[in-house]
Amino acid sequence: MRDVAARAGASLKTVSRVVNGEPGVTPGLEQRVRLAIEHLGYRHHLPASSLRRGGGRTESIGLLLEDVGNPFSSRLQRVVEQVARERGVMTVAVSCDEDPQRERDALAAFMTRRVDGIIVMPAKGDHSHLRAEHEAGMPIVAVDRSPGFAGIDTVLVDNQAGARRGADHLLARGHVRVGFVGNHAGLSTADQRYAGYRSALKGAGIPVDPALVARSVTGIAGGGEAAARLLEAPDPPTALFTAQNLLTIGAVEFLRAIGRQHEIALVGFDDFLLADLLDPAVTVVAQDPSELGARAARRLFARIDGDASPPHRDVVRTRLIIRGSGELEPTRTNSRKGLGTARVRE
Amino acid sequence: MRDVAARAGASLKTVSRVVNGEPGVTPGLEQRVRLAIEHLGYRHHLPASSLRRGGGRTESIGLLLEDVGNPFSSRLQRVVEQVARERGVMTVAVSCDEDPQRERDALAAFMTRRVDGIIVMPAKGDHSHLRAEHEAGMPIVAVDRSPGFAGIDTVLVDNQAGARRGADHLLARGHVRVGFVGNHAGLSTADQRYAGYRSALKGAGIPVDPALVARSVTGIAGGGEAAARLLEAPDPPTALFTAQNLLTIGAVEFLRAIGRQHEIALVGFDDFLLADLLDPAVTVVAQDPSELGARAARRLFARIDGDASPPHRDVVRTRLIIRGSGELEPTRTNSRKGLGTARVRE
DNA sequence: CTGTTAGCGCTTTCAT
DNA sequence: ATGAAAGCGCTAACAG
């Protein structure tokens, strides 16, 4: 920048003015400065600029996700990035794979880098650090999951109502033995979905049978294994409610592998690509990650812009998408595993 | 930091030493400093630190993708982020949706933020800016697509060989009328895949029929429409080769919608989740985005660490995954479009 | 082992 | 309308 000033025969401040588009520079001078910039290949240095500037915005935000590879997360990221870009802000995304330690590390790294704000999908466990950073003045919005304490903006999905809706859908079809496969117990979303399942059973006057419940299940493989385990119960389920997208996929794979995909009803929480092309197509309780991300981003930027209103709590509704797998009738016979066993359906 | 020094009764430099874990500080003093840091809630300021430090690493890299929402991109991002994290480096991801203008903007933004390096999946079109930044000293690695000029490290997929393999697979099954559905003509990957298709036909002594080729097709909906168009040709294809994951999905949806998924053979380029659960399961030429990302990231960090060797050109092989859709025999009857119109072929 | 001084690249403040 | 000087938070270089 010094070189630019020298070459243009202007002062540092003038160059600064031109670079930042501030008014009060003679067109001729401005032209000379621009030429010098062009000629020298000068690049504005944002970090240095932020340093001196009041408030010191870095024009970047942090996004802390479970796993960028999960379709739900990546759609969320997509829209957050888009909203940020419209403001000239870049998004730094970190996957922490449900690891609280990594979450803490990433949060610390965000602080150190002085991002302007953070959107976080809290892992399970302790969130005191989150609270600490927030109280230190960092704008933070929790998305998809409750941070476990008040005082912070949150944008959540109506998990309990959605899960209840999904389970009710199966019960309405006449299913009495409905299995539940859920992810990480202790995670707010997982717990709420489980609560929704319980509430549906309770509403139908059916007791919860522990043999039909698998919790803290992880990933596609885990979902398949859990489904297998549930179907081995003495009095096995005729329907499954899977509380997360990967678990649903795992269950679908398993049912298909044993050739019972048209026999065991299935409703999944969270939609996924191609769910409508499977056979049977998978009935799901759909969330809207784009909506979630957009609201979270807007909330965050409102805070960054100085909004000091009390913490908001925004809840996005879910939608039941009927496709076929959730509308299968309960089988009357006791279910048998394995292939090729003929059975009566009635 | 000044406050910390004052409270600990030490100098700024000593605090700096403690913060950076430099040797040569008396344990007692160090303890006092740590206490003061804790008490005052002091946070190290990385941007300021970078500014003064030699070379001024920002400990961040830029990742320029087509669309973070595409599974291929998000898996790539995942692994890049992981490699970066192991070095304490954060990843700034930007989706530019094949828009060259956005690509330029994002690149400029990366420069302005002084990222330590950039991994870019070049959009089609002009890449002079890429070259310019690279010559200005920014470490850059092109991934998945050729940047259109030499001099820069690239990590590519063997698109042409992979596509040839996929098309050959269909030809070997006896198909003579093989349709091609590809994305953006002008994009290196798309062009290479098309070249692979042509080379396969040539090898079989079959001329390329323009009526069976759809290029510059975009997205799931586009893939479906293109498949529809091809099947309406006077002498329609008995097999389709779709050159990108979304196009494959679109074609699958369409074939299924018209009930001919067991009749028209299909091989897709790029694997996708659940491809093995569809009916028929979809035969694909699989790429390995994780491998691609890992190699690109390692290459980038080698450059960042000062590697000045000539540009590398790394090619990752593809793998044909046989699942069913690509092994369907050519139908002898003339194909019928729509529903119910019978026609004779020969 | 510890502290002082200078200065990274930029923008503020205040003069001119 | 333009510029000189001071300083953002930190660390390199050199003292003590």
Side-chain angles (χ1 to χ4, degrees):
Chain A
M1 176 152 156
R2 212 202 307 289
D3 304 337
V4 172
R7 191 169 214 280
S11 75
L12 285 177
K13 180 59 205 173
T14 303
V15 176
S16 173
R17 285 200 176 95
V18 171
V19 168
N20 293 319
E22 285 172 32
V25 181
T26 309
L29 222 190
E30 171 168 349
Q31 196 53 31
R32 287 214 314 281
V33 171
R34 289 204 185 287
L35 244 54
I37 287 177
E38 181 81 13
H39 192 86
L40 271 50
Y42 164 81
R43 297 307 200 133
H44 188 55
H45 194 306
L46 188 61
S49 167
S50 299
L51 187 56
R52 189 61 178 94
R53 237 185 185 105
R57 296 268 176 83
T58 54
E59 307 298 329
S60 63
I61 60 172
L63 177 60
L64 198 44
L65 296 169
E66 178 205 330
D67 174 10
V68 179
N70 186 306
F72 181 83
S73 296
S74 64
R75 285 192 51 198
L76 188 72
Q77 182 192 352
R78 181 75 169 85
V79 63
V80 167
E81 189 215 304
Q82 185 179 321
V83 173
R85 185 180 43 229
E86 284 163 8
R87 302 186 31 136
V89 170
M90 295 207 131
T91 305
V92 183
V94 173
S95 306
C96 62
D97 290 317
E98 305 293 357
D99 180 341
Q101 181 57 45
R102 264 208 227 158
E103 179 177 310
R104 274 192 297 277
D105 292 348
L107 231 36
F110 285 151
M111 296 301 286
T112 275
R113 278 149 216 268
R114 296 296 193 273
V115 296
D116 301 334
I118 300 173
I119 294 179
V120 52
M121 187 185 285
K124 63 186 253 193
D126 174 43
H127 297 299
S128 49
H129 43 32
L130 243 185
R131 172 181 240 147
E133 315 301 20
H134 181 244
E135 280 167 4
M138 174 64 71
I140 299 184
V141 175
V143 69
D144 187 51
R145 303 171 185 173
S146 165
F149 63 93
I152 202 177
D153 290 329
T154 50
V155 182
L156 306 175
V157 168
D158 195 355
N159 288 287
Q160 179 160 354
R164 161 120 203 200
R165 180 82 193 284
D168 273 344
H169 186 69
L170 290 167
L171 295 169
R173 216 66 191 187
H175 293 276
V176 175
R177 306 287 295 162
V178 177
F180 176 89
V181 181
N183 51 343
H184 321 267
L187 196 66
S188 71
T189 50
D191 291 349
Q192 285 169 21
R193 291 172 199 171
Y194 183 53
Y197 163 80
R198 293 177 67 103
S199 121
L201 289 190
K202 190 170 180 185
I206 301 172
V208 174
D209 180 348
L212 299 192
V213 172
R215 303 190 66 193
S216 296
V217 180
T218 307
I220 294 178
E225 289 155 17
R229 207 168 337 117
L230 262 46
L231 290 176
E232 275 170 3
D235 186 5
T238 59
L240 294 175
F241 180 68
T242 48
Q244 192 238 8
N245 58 3
L246 299 182
L247 307 183
T248 306
I249 293 171
V252 168
E253 282 188 354
F254 174 73
L255 291 179
R256 177 160 182 136
I258 62 169
R260 296 178 65 186
Q261 71 273 26
H262 288 287
E263 183 188 329
I264 305 291
L266 178 68
V267 171
F269 198 102
D270 195 11
D271 200 7
F272 54 95
L273 197 63
L274 299 187
D276 54 332
L277 283 190
L278 297 175
D279 183 34
V282 182
T283 294
V284 298
V285 178
Q287 314 184 70
D288 188 344
S290 298
E291 181 63 22
L292 211 60
R295 292 199 201 181
R298 283 198 293 263
R299 201 81 276 295
L300 183 65
F301 284 119
R303 291 294 178 197
I304 290 175
D305 290 341
D307 173 9
S309 57
H312 290 226
R313 190 189 171 81
D314 201 353
V315 175
V316 180
R317 293 180 46 115
T318 57
R319 196 162 50 96
L320 181 70
I321 303 181
I322 293 173
R323 296 206 179 103
S325 73
E327 293 70 49
L328 299 172
E329 306 279 338
T331 47
R332 274 239 169 270
T333 61
N334 200 349
S335 37
R336 274 162 295 177
K337 327 171 272 195
L339 307 159
T341 21
R343 218 168 294 135
V344 186
R345 175 176 318 144
E346 174 166 352
Chain B
M1 176 151 157
R2 211 203 308 289
D3 304 337
V4 172
R7 192 170 213 278
S11 74
L12 283 177
K13 180 62 203 173
T14 303
V15 176
S16 172
R17 285 201 176 93
V18 171
V19 168
N20 293 317
E22 285 172 32
V25 181
T26 310
L29 221 191
E30 171 168 349
Q31 196 53 30
R32 288 215 313 282
V33 171
R34 288 203 186 287
L35 243 55
I37 287 176
E38 181 82 13
H39 192 84
L40 271 50
Y42 164 80
R43 297 308 199 133
H44 186 55
H45 195 306
L46 187 62
S49 168
S50 299
L51 187 56
R52 189 61 178 97
R53 240 186 182 103
R57 296 268 175 84
T58 54
E59 307 298 332
S60 63
I61 59 171
L63 177 60
L64 198 45
L65 297 168
E66 177 204 333
D67 173 8
V68 181
N70 185 309
F72 181 82
S73 297
S74 64
R75 284 191 53 197
L76 189 72
Q77 182 193 351
R78 181 76 171 84
V79 64
V80 167
E81 189 214 304
Q82 185 180 320
V83 173
R85 186 180 43 229
E86 284 163 9
R87 302 183 34 134
V89 169
M90 295 207 133
T91 305
V92 183
V94 172
S95 306
C96 61
D97 290 317
E98 304 293 357
D99 180 341
Q101 181 58 45
R102 265 208 226 155
E103 179 177 310
R104 274 193 297 277
D105 292 349
L107 231 37
F110 285 151
M111 296 300 285
T112 275
R113 278 149 216 268
R114 296 296 194 274
V115 296
D116 302 334
I118 300 173
I119 294 179
V120 52
M121 188 186 285
K124 62 186 254 194
D126 175 43
H127 297 298
S128 49
H129 44 101
L130 243 184
R131 171 181 241 148
E133 314 301 20
H134 181 245
E135 281 167 2
M138 173 66 68
I140 299 184
V141 174
V143 69
D144 186 52
R145 303 171 185 174
S146 165
F149 62 92
I152 201 177
D153 289 330
T154 49
V155 182
L156 305 175
V157 169
D158 195 356
N159 287 289
Q160 179 161 353
R164 160 121 203 201
R165 181 83 193 284
D168 274 344
H169 185 69
L170 290 168
L171 295 170
R173 216 68 190 186
H175 292 276
V176 175
R177 304 289 294 164
V178 177
F180 176 89
V181 181
N183 51 344
H184 323 264
L187 197 64
S188 71
T189 51
D191 291 348
Q192 286 169 21
R193 291 173 199 170
Y194 182 53
Y197 162 80
R198 292 177 67 105
S199 121
L201 288 190
K202 189 169 181 185
I206 300 173
V208 174
D209 180 348
L212 300 192
V213 172
R215 304 189 64 192
S216 296
V217 180
T218 308
I220 295 178
E225 289 156 17
R229 206 166 339 115
L230 262 47
L231 290 175
E232 275 171 2
D235 187 5
T238 59
L240 294 176
F241 180 69
T242 49
Q244 193 239 7
N245 58 3
L246 299 182
L247 306 183
T248 306
I249 293 172
V252 168
E253 282 188 354
F254 174 73
L255 291 178
R256 178 160 181 134
I258 62 169
R260 297 178 64 185
Q261 71 272 27
H262 288 287
E263 183 187 330
I264 305 291
L266 178 69
V267 171
F269 199 102
D270 195 12
D271 200 8
F272 53 95
L273 197 63
L274 299 186
D276 53 332
L277 284 189
L278 296 175
D279 182 35
V282 182
T283 294
V284 298
V285 177
Q287 315 185 69
D288 188 343
S290 298
E291 181 62 24
L292 211 59
R295 293 198 199 180
R298 283 198 293 263
R299 201 80 276 295
L300 184 66
F301 284 118
R303 291 294 179 198
I304 290 175
D305 290 341
D307 173 11
S309 57
H312 290 228
R313 189 187 173 81
D314 201 353
V315 175
V316 180
R317 293 179 46 114
T318 57
R319 195 163 53 95
L320 181 70
I321 303 181
I322 294 174
R323 296 206 180 102
S325 73
E327 293 69 49
L328 299 173
E329 306 280 340
T331 48
R332 276 243 165 264
T333 61
N334 197 351
S335 36
R336 279 159 294 177
K337 23 168 213 193
L339 310 159
T341 18
R343 213 172 301 129
V344 187
R345 178 192 297 163
E346 157 177 2

